[in-house]
Amino acid sequence: MKSLLSILCLVTVLTSGASTYYVATNGVDAVGRGSEAAPFKTIQYAVDQASSSSTDTIRVQPGIYDEGGKENVNGTPHTNRVMISKRVNLESVGGASVTHIVGAPDPTTGTVGAGAIRCIYTDNGAANSRIIGFTLRDGYGDDGSTDHNHRGGGFLQLNGQKYIYLYDCVISNCHNIGVGGSSGGFGAGLYDFGSKPIWVENTIFENLKGGQGGKYYIALKTAGGTTITNCDFRDCSASYYVIAPGGATSRLLDSRMERCSGGSGIITGIPVVERCAFCGNRSEIFYRASLGPVRNCLFVSNTAAIVTLVDVSDKRARFENCTFADNNGNNSSVVSIKGGNVNNQVAFVNCALWGNTKDVNRTDKTWQETHLVAYTNCLVEAYTEDVPETHEGCIVGLNPRFVDPASGNYRPRHNSPLRDKGLTLDWMTEGAIDLDGKPRRLDKRGKPTVSALPDIGSYECDIPKPGIAILVK
């Protein structure tokens, strides 16, 4: 997680002249308090005291905040531990590890329901609010209702017409499980229903449960144009998708997804994915969606397909400088084509594919020749039989010589055949980086230069090649 310093400096500039209130678990909710020496007790009381005409800051001391709450004022009521309908900066003093906003299950059902408590709710009045440095845990939505107000166990933004910024948080053990096959269990961790999305950065999503016995249940659902940056998704499950932003400009950047599963797949609706790692997931990662490009990503030890094309024509997926290794399981493959529709194509450029159960799995024998898998400047273990493929500038059957696959290190060794064998792409200008954040084009001495060829795969090797003398003064 990145330091809060830069974010807090920005907040200070934006809130110059506004008030600052303090909250602590040993405080008192009373008029005349709210200073650092005499703090309020609950976050909700502090939010209620904040001005509607300026951007006040609420600073929360370390502790467990599981008291207080307020019903949302729009639509069907649902209780929230914190309900924000004005612009504020809500920030913890000690960070997410020691500052928890805690929801609660319905006392009758022991899970979702009308008496459950969500962690945080925002509406359009909270436009441009910033929420920094909290763990949101044990939040619950309602009982599978199709009402948007009942969605989002950890966080709900409703009717937002401006951005909400969520930084350096943890959303954990939250639920929105619809029952009876209804379609209301969206967003166990986070649900955004508005014309502007939540901007999510440096946030961990873990142990989120969306859906049980029905469909359309999502652990994280956001509006179009969402950017998810430097986030971790761990042990999340949903009966439909785990992540489902909408819009052609949504992006998933510098993030990691581990041990997740979705009934229809893990991700849909994110056309741009860069510098992410997908490890040990149990469901198809990209399902029935156009992707392009997916760059500098690592896919290892997944037990289902990485990308699945099914039932829909004219779907495209493009992977550039990605590594696919040791993806093994009964249903595992890098590409799975299940439908008979036409013009579905997957392109691999500068990719390493090694140790997978199958690179391409075709389950529908009626598919047409316009389905195509194209490899350009890739290292592959072997070509796939009975699949329309094209190959250009590829390395076949040569061990990629990863550093230590047994310990999860899939970087190339200094003598790897992946080195300097990639194709120069238009995005590989000065400043382009790999999965580690290192320069994408390095010379034989491991020094950045735009004249060098890139390595194949998600990592660039910065170790000098054998036989190159380095003079050290």
Side-chain angles (χ1 to χ4, degrees):
M1 293 297 204
K2 295 191 298 187
S3 169
L4 294 177
L5 180 59
S6 60
I7 297 170
L8 296 181
C9 288
L10 174 63
V11 170
T12 299
V13 172
L14 293 174
T15 59
S16 179
S19 299
T20 299
Y21 298 99
Y22 290 83
V23 180
T25 54
N26 62 351
V28 176
D29 288 341
V31 176
R33 296 180 64 90
S35 67
E36 187 171 11
F40 296 131
K41 181 177 179 60
T42 64
I43 299 171
Q44 185 60 59
Y45 191 88
V47 170
D48 291 342
Q49 310 315 304
S51 172
S52 298
S53 59
S54 62
T55 306
D56 290 347
T57 295
I58 298 169
R59 306 204 69 203
V60 182
Q61 298 289 348
I64 306 299
Y65 292 87
D66 57 1
E67 298 182 41
K70 192 172 186 178
E71 289 186 344
N72 45 276
V73 295
N74 297 313
T76 306
H78 187 82
T79 301
N80 312 279
R81 191 66 71 198
V82 180
M83 198 277 287
I84 303 174
S85 58
K86 61 187 71 172
R87 183 185 303 178
V88 297
N89 290 315
L90 180 63
E91 61 189 48
S92 71
V93 173
S97 63
V98 293
T99 316
H100 293 205
I101 298 175
V102 183
D106 184 294
T108 301
T109 66
T111 178
V112 297
I117 300 176
R118 179 189 296 115
C119 295
I120 294 181
Y121 169 99
T122 65
D123 61 19
N124 189 49
N128 292 318
S129 289
R130 288 167 169 79
I131 299 168
I132 306 170
F134 293 90
T135 289
L136 313 181
R137 64 175 173 88
D138 303 320
Y140 290 77
D142 205 343
D143 186 13
S145 169
T146 56
D147 190 327
H148 294 293
N149 291 279
H150 291 169
R151 298 171 176 175
F155 191 110
L156 171 65
Q157 175 183 228
L158 193 65
N159 299 325
Q161 297 178 21
K162 298 289 184 180
Y163 290 100
I164 298 291
Y165 300 89
L166 187 68
Y167 296 121
D168 295 326
C169 290
V170 176
I171 301 180
S172 176
N173 197 39
C174 293
H175 304 256
N176 200 26
I177 302 173
V179 297
S182 64
S183 60
F186 284 89
L190 184 153
Y191 183 80
D192 171 26
F193 183 75
S195 59
K196 293 292 184 180
I198 295 175
W199 189 287
V200 186
E201 187 168 338
N202 304 335
T203 291
I204 295 171
F205 296 83
E206 61 184 8
N207 195 32
L208 305 177
K209 306 298 181 184
Q212 180 173 311
K215 61 179 181 178
Y216 302 125
Y217 301 96
I218 299 169
L220 185 151
K221 177 72 171 74
T222 64
T226 292
T227 295
I228 302 170
T229 303
N230 197 29
C231 294
D232 288 350
F233 297 83
R234 306 169 183 165
D235 300 297
C236 298
S237 65
S239 294
Y240 200 38
Y241 294 106
V242 173
I243 305 178
T249 60
S250 291
R251 301 182 300 165
L252 179 64
L253 309 176
D254 301 299
S255 297
R256 188 175 181 90
M257 179 167 286
E258 300 178 89
R259 303 179 303 276
C260 293
S261 61
S264 293
I266 293 176
I267 297 175
T268 189
I270 300 183
V272 177
V273 181
E274 297 187 14
R275 298 179 302 278
C276 295
F278 300 86
C279 308
N281 297 291
R282 301 180 292 272
S283 300
E284 297 151 322
I285 296 176
F286 303 109
Y287 180 83
R288 199 177 177 180
S290 290
L291 296 163
V294 178
R295 290 179 180 151
N296 296 315
C297 291
L298 175 68
F299 301 87
V300 298
S301 302
N302 300 289
T303 58
I306 306 303
V307 57
T308 298
L309 302 178
V310 56
D311 298 333
V312 179
S313 299
D314 297 308
K315 290 297 181 181
R316 303 286 193 272
R318 182 177 175 89
F319 296 88
E320 299 175 353
N321 286 92
C322 294
T323 297
F324 305 85
D326 299 327
N327 297 289
N328 296 299
N330 293 333
N331 300 311
S332 180
S333 62
V334 176
V335 179
S336 176
I337 301 179
K338 298 181 178 179
N341 288 294
V342 300
N343 298 327
N344 290 328
Q345 298 182 8
V346 181
F348 297 97
V349 183
N350 297 347
C351 292
L353 300 94
W354 191 263
N356 307 297
T357 299
K358 287 184 177 181
D359 287 345
V360 181
N361 184 36
R362 187 187 76 177
T363 59
D364 187 336
K365 303 300 183 181
T366 65
W367 72 330
Q368 301 186 37
E369 291 298 310
T370 47
H371 287 79
L372 179 67
V373 180
Y375 300 90
T376 304
N377 287 69
C378 293
L379 185 148
V380 297
E381 192 165 2
Y383 294 142
T384 306
E385 296 181 359
D386 301 324
V387 172
E389 294 183 344
T390 64
H391 314 92
E392 182 178 349
C394 293
I395 302 169
V396 183
L398 192 59
N399 192 308
R401 297 194 186 104
F402 298 125
V403 171
D404 188 3
S407 65
N409 189 341
Y410 289 88
R411 296 167 181 83
R413 293 176 180 269
H414 68 281
N415 59 349
S416 169
L418 302 173
R419 296 196 66 177
D420 302 331
K421 294 298 191 294
L423 183 69
T424 301
L425 303 176
D426 57 3
W427 56 270
M428 293 179 179
T429 57
E430 186 176 0
I433 57 176
D434 70 355
L435 181 56
D436 275 338
K438 294 182 300 190
R440 178 32 94 175
R441 298 164 71 183
L442 302 172
D443 65 16
K444 294 181 179 180
R445 293 171 173 80
K447 303 299 182 182
T449 174
V450 293
S451 63
L453 291 174
D455 292 351
I456 292 173
S458 54
Y459 297 104
E460 197 78 12
C461 183
D462 59 359
I463 303 171
K465 283 192 171 182
I468 299 298
I470 304 295
L471 178 62
V472 180
K473 294 184 178 180

